[in-house]
């Protein structure tokens, strides 16, 4: 199978960073009572991504991209087949799952990401930051393996321009989970690689993960239990309806508020059993950070930029299914990992998300998801 030069393929992906801000990605991980691990994440962007599900067979070969845009970085061959979401059909995954149940996702990390400086002598083990998800999913089966394997690579800032197109820096940090529920966050700050345990399973954007964990201390009063009435000098004050224990939970779309909201909901939700119940819970929780068109805006030289939740993905690691829904189609669909890899053979495939729920082609199936 021929090598894939991601330098040229990346243009469609990284060009998006220059067109509109996208600081609102959110991800969560849940475990059911019987040990199934469920992952879900949102993807926000101002510019339409034309997303698709990439099917990447075992044995696919890649070459890392250097900061000058050349394909002379780390060569690697996929030990495991994997699937996940792309942009514009380019097989550089934003998130996904491999056949061992390892899940990896890249989320925007603006203002804090700082990758290793490029060293020509280290070119042979260098990859661009937007190639990390592909590398993780293709090489590792567990979080423990990821921890040990991070020393194998040098992650550098990818090219800021390619083929005459100026692109954004695309700052990323990464969430990683395996089929046991073990979770970590990988951040590159000040040229150093930092690996954080993530027992909460939640990640959003900036500031860094250490700051986010400290931020939770401001909300230790939050509870799933309604507040008790108070008697003030004979004047009784009753809670107004249900949910008074969560009074003060931020509802805005800033990264810290989304982080807190996801921690609060994932940690207080009643335990569920089985993958269908796990998916229903994860899909319900992740809906709480959906951004409607026009609710979040920024002003650019080209005019008003409106951030929006373009798609939401979810993974059932036990059954090897990648679920998704889009802004225009709220019906959850899924691609079966084993089936898609079997149909793809030795060739990478792309399944556009705009296809109808019952669409079937010769490579893979995007199936309507039957919810309990």
């Amino acid at each position: 199978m021929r090598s894939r030069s991601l330098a040229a393929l990346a243009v469609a992906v990284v060009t998006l960073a220059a067109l509109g801000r996208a600081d609102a990605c959110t991800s969560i991980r849940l475990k059911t009572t019987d040990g199934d691990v469920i992952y879900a994440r949102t993807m926000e962007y101002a510019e339409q991504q034309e997303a698709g599900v990439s099917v990447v067979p075992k044995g696919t070969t890649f070459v890392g991209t250097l900061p000058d845009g050349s394909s002379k970085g780390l060569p690697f061959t996929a030990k495991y087949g994997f699937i996940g979401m792309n942009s514009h059909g380019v097989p550089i995954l934003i998130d996904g799952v491999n056949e061992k149940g390892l899940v990896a996702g890249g989320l925007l990390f603006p203002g804090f990401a700082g990758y290793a400086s490029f060293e020509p002598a280290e070119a042979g083990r260098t990859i661009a930051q937007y190639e990390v998800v592909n590398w993780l999913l293709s090489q590792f089966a567990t979080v423990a393996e990821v921890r040990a394997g991070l020393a194998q690579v040098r992650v550098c800032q990818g090219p800021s321009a390619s083929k005459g197109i100026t692109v954004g820096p695309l700052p990323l940090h990464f969430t990683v989970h395996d089929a046991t529920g073990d979770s970590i966050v990988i951040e590159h700050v000040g040229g150093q690689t930092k690996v954080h345990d993530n027992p909460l399973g939640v990640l959003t954007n900036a500031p860094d993960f250490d700051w986010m964990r400290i931020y939770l201390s401001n909300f230790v009063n939050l509870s799933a239990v309604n507040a008790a009435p108070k008697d003030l000098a004979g004047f009784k004050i009753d809670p107004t309806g249900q949910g008074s224990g969560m009074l003060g939970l931020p509802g805005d779309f800033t990264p810290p508020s989304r982080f807190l909201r996801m921690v609060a909901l994932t940690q207080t939700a009643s335990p569920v059993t089985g993958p269908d119940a796990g998916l229903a819970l994860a899909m319900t929780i992740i809906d709480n950070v959906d951004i409607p068109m026009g609710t979040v805006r920024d002003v650019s030289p080209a005019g008003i930029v409106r951030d929006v939740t373009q798609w939401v993905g979810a993974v059932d690691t036990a059954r090897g299914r990648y679920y998704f829904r889009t802004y225009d189609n709220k019906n959850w669909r899924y691609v079966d990992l084993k089936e898609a890899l079997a149909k793809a053979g030795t060739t990478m495939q792309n399944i556009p998300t705009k296809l109808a729920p019952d669409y079937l082609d010769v490579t893979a199936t995007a199936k309507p998801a039957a919810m309990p």
Side-chain angles (χ1 to χ4, degrees):
M1 188 172 295
R2 68 187 182 87
S3 296
R4 302 286 175 167
S5 170
L6 298 188
L9 293 175
V11 175
V13 176
V14 296
T15 298
L16 293 174
L19 300 177
R21 293 187 60 180
D23 300 356
C25 311
T26 302
S27 72
I28 62 173
R29 179 233 58 202
L30 300 174
K31 288 184 69 174
T32 65
T33 58
D34 49 343
D36 191 13
V37 175
I38 306 293
Y39 161 85
R41 69 88 50 84
T42 66
M43 183 62 185
E44 282 73 27
Y45 239 107
E47 298 295 328
Q48 185 53 244
Q49 292 193 70
E50 306 297 339
V53 177
S54 285
V55 181
V56 185
K58 175 182 178 180
T60 302
T61 55
F62 300 92
V63 181
T65 304
L66 302 184
D68 65 1
S70 63
S71 302
K72 299 179 180 179
L74 174 73
F76 58 98
T77 300
K79 298 178 182 178
Y80 309 108
F82 57 97
I83 60 175
M85 199 65 79
N86 65 48
S87 176
H88 286 73
V90 178
I92 300 176
L93 270 62
I94 299 166
D95 76 341
V97 58
N98 70 17
E99 54 191 318
K100 294 297 183 179
L102 187 81
V103 176
L107 289 80
L108 269 291
F109 190 39
F112 287 81
Y115 303 100
S117 58
F118 176 63
E119 299 289 345
E122 302 285 356
R125 66 184 192 97
T126 296
I127 60 175
Q129 81 280 9
Y130 48 76
E131 296 165 335
V132 169
V133 172
N134 277 27
W135 179 72
L136 291 171
L137 294 176
S138 70
Q139 301 299 303
F140 305 108
T142 66
V143 164
E145 290 183 5
V146 171
R147 285 181 179 275
L150 286 171
Q152 300 172 15
V153 299
R154 189 176 180 89
V155 179
C156 293
Q157 174 67 53
S160 59
S162 182
K163 295 186 176 181
I165 301 174
T166 300
V167 297
L170 203 65
L172 296 169
H173 58 175
F174 307 93
T175 185
V176 186
H177 319 285
D178 65 24
T180 71
D182 195 8
S183 299
I184 57 172
V185 170
I186 303 170
E187 294 183 332
H188 298 87
V189 179
Q192 302 297 314
T193 301
K194 298 184 177 182
V195 181
H196 306 277
D197 289 323
N198 188 12
L200 298 174
V202 176
L203 186 65
T204 58
N205 311 109
D208 60 18
F209 192 65
D210 279 335
W211 188 96
M212 291 290 190
R213 290 188 291 192
I214 295 171
Y215 175 70
L216 295 178
S217 299
N218 295 308
F219 299 90
V220 293
N221 61 299
L222 293 178
S223 170
V225 179
N226 287 333
K230 288 186 178 296
D231 189 304
L232 301 178
F235 182 78
K236 185 181 179 183
I237 301 176
D238 292 302
T240 305
Q242 296 294 321
S244 58
M246 286 289 182
L247 193 63
L249 180 69
D252 63 83
F253 295 106
T254 60
S257 293
R258 285 182 284 108
F259 183 83
L260 171 63
R261 197 148 73 246
M262 291 296 95
V263 170
L265 296 182
T266 56
Q267 295 301 306
T268 59
S270 297
V272 296
T273 303
D276 286 336
L279 281 164
L281 178 58
M283 292 169 177
T284 300
I285 290 175
I286 204 70
D287 279 351
N288 284 268
V289 288
D290 257 20
I291 298 179
M293 177 69 77
T295 304
V296 175
R297 310 183 190 189
D298 199 8
V299 178
S300 75
I304 295 176
V305 176
R306 295 172 176 83
D307 213 5
V308 63
T309 302
Q310 294 203 16
W311 56 261
V312 183
V315 172
D316 170 10
T317 60
R319 293 184 294 194
R321 292 178 177 179
Y322 186 91
Y323 291 77
F324 64 90
R325 65 168 172 80
T326 64
Y327 188 86
D328 298 322
N329 186 347
K330 299 304 182 184
N331 295 314
W332 284 93
R333 291 162 283 167
Y334 74 88
V335 177
D336 183 273
L337 174 62
K338 291 182 180 179
E339 179 182 302
L341 290 173
K343 291 184 176 181
T346 60
T347 305
M348 285 196 294
Q349 304 290 338
N350 177 59
I351 305 169
T353 59
K354 286 190 174 182
L355 300 179
D358 59 352
Y359 182 90
L360 174 68
D361 69 10
V362 297
T363 59
T365 307
K367 303 178 181 179
M371 290 289 98

